[in-house]
Amino acid sequence: MAKFSIFFKDKPIQSTIFESGVVHIGRDETNDLIIDSLAIAPAHAAARVSDSACTIKQLNSDFPLIINGKQLKEASLENGDTITLGKHRIMYNSSESFAPAPSTQDPVNEALDQELSNAAPASEANLQVMSGEHIGRLIPLKKNMTRLGHAGSGIIIVTRRKDGYHASMLEVDEQIKINNVSLAEETVLLKNGDMLLIENVTMQFFMG
């Protein structure tokens, strides 16, 4: 399993997870990862994903493939590697990085957590940090309530319910946004690919 996150000028655009097989990258619409830029070849590169490894190969000699700042024709990708194509950047994350990390969140009310568990959906979700010093880090949303942020700068609660994951603010701050819109006092049902901005750090919500 592998995850490819596409950035343009350090702004997150898209994240896609692939179980296995060949991932085609390029400008043409037939690719698995499509980057609409003339700096990208119609068929620019191909990554082969397996359970234990991922290799990427340049497909067009006129369009360079740059891995971690080095121009290469072929490379074996490691977790956190960066692929540069024109002005776009793709971050690669291996399946190992999807493993649950030790929780650093503040404890939540256990009684409410237990009450919500009866209505919790079977599928699980994650937030991936898309900016800042912890870029690429995954935050599994395994608890029925996950608290993000700090007192004084806004606190957001992601609640796991029967119909999905809901985001609301415990401490209101106009700087907390979802898809560039201030969350204010609303409760929002999160959708796959939604972008959260908390304390100037961008996180992407995705299921699976």
Side-chain angles (χ1 to χ4, degrees):
M1 185 183 294
K3 182 176 183 181
F4 295 90
S5 302
I6 303 175
F7 298 79
F8 178 69
K9 294 183 178 178
D10 291 329
K11 293 183 179 180
I13 297 175
Q14 172 191 346
S15 291
T16 309
I17 295 175
F18 297 92
E19 294 287 340
S20 61
V22 178
V23 179
H24 296 276
I25 305 168
R27 187 173 74 241
D28 192 85
E29 292 183 357
T30 59
N31 289 282
D32 302 294
L33 288 177
I34 302 169
I35 303 176
D36 187 13
S37 169
L38 293 177
I40 311 298
H44 199 118
R48 182 174 294 277
V49 178
S50 66
D51 291 338
S52 59
C54 181
T55 57
I56 190 167
K57 185 176 182 179
Q58 180 183 7
L59 297 180
N60 191 319
S61 59
D62 293 330
F63 292 82
L65 176 67
I66 300 172
I67 311 294
N68 298 329
K70 296 181 180 179
Q71 186 169 332
L72 302 170
K73 292 184 178 180
E74 189 171 352
S76 178
L77 295 177
E78 302 291 338
N79 184 51
D81 278 354
T82 297
I83 305 158
T84 302
L85 307 177
K87 293 183 178 180
H88 288 77
R89 181 168 57 86
I90 303 175
M91 174 173 286
Y92 164 77
N93 290 110
S94 65
S95 58
E96 287 80 3
S97 68
F98 301 164
S103 175
T104 58
Q105 305 302 329
D106 295 334
V108 297
N109 187 288
E110 292 184 4
L112 181 57
D113 191 66
Q114 181 61 40
E115 180 182 339
L116 291 170
S117 66
N118 297 326
S123 59
E124 293 182 348
N126 298 273
L127 289 171
Q128 182 169 31
V129 179
M130 306 297 280
S131 65
E133 60 179 323
H134 299 296
I135 188 169
R137 178 183 174 188
L138 287 178
I139 303 173
L141 300 175
K142 287 184 170 293
K143 294 183 177 182
N144 295 315
M145 291 181 68
T146 301
R147 177 173 170 168
L148 303 164
H150 298 89
S153 56
I155 298 174
I156 187 172
I157 296 289
V158 178
T159 307
R160 187 183 185 200
R161 297 185 182 276
K162 188 175 182 179
D163 61 339
Y165 291 79
H166 296 253
S168 59
M169 279 199 282
L170 182 64
E171 182 179 301
V172 177
D173 189 301
E174 292 183 357
Q175 297 304 311
I176 293 180
K177 298 180 180 180
I178 297 181
N179 299 327
N180 246 354
V181 177
S182 178
L183 183 56
E185 296 183 1
E186 298 181 20
T187 297
V188 174
L189 176 63
L190 295 174
K191 301 184 294 296
N192 213 31
D194 277 354
M195 293 292 185
L196 284 71
L197 180 65
I198 305 167
E199 295 185 333
N200 294 319
V201 174
T202 303
M203 302 181 187
Q204 184 178 40
F205 172 83
F206 66 94
M207 302 290 293

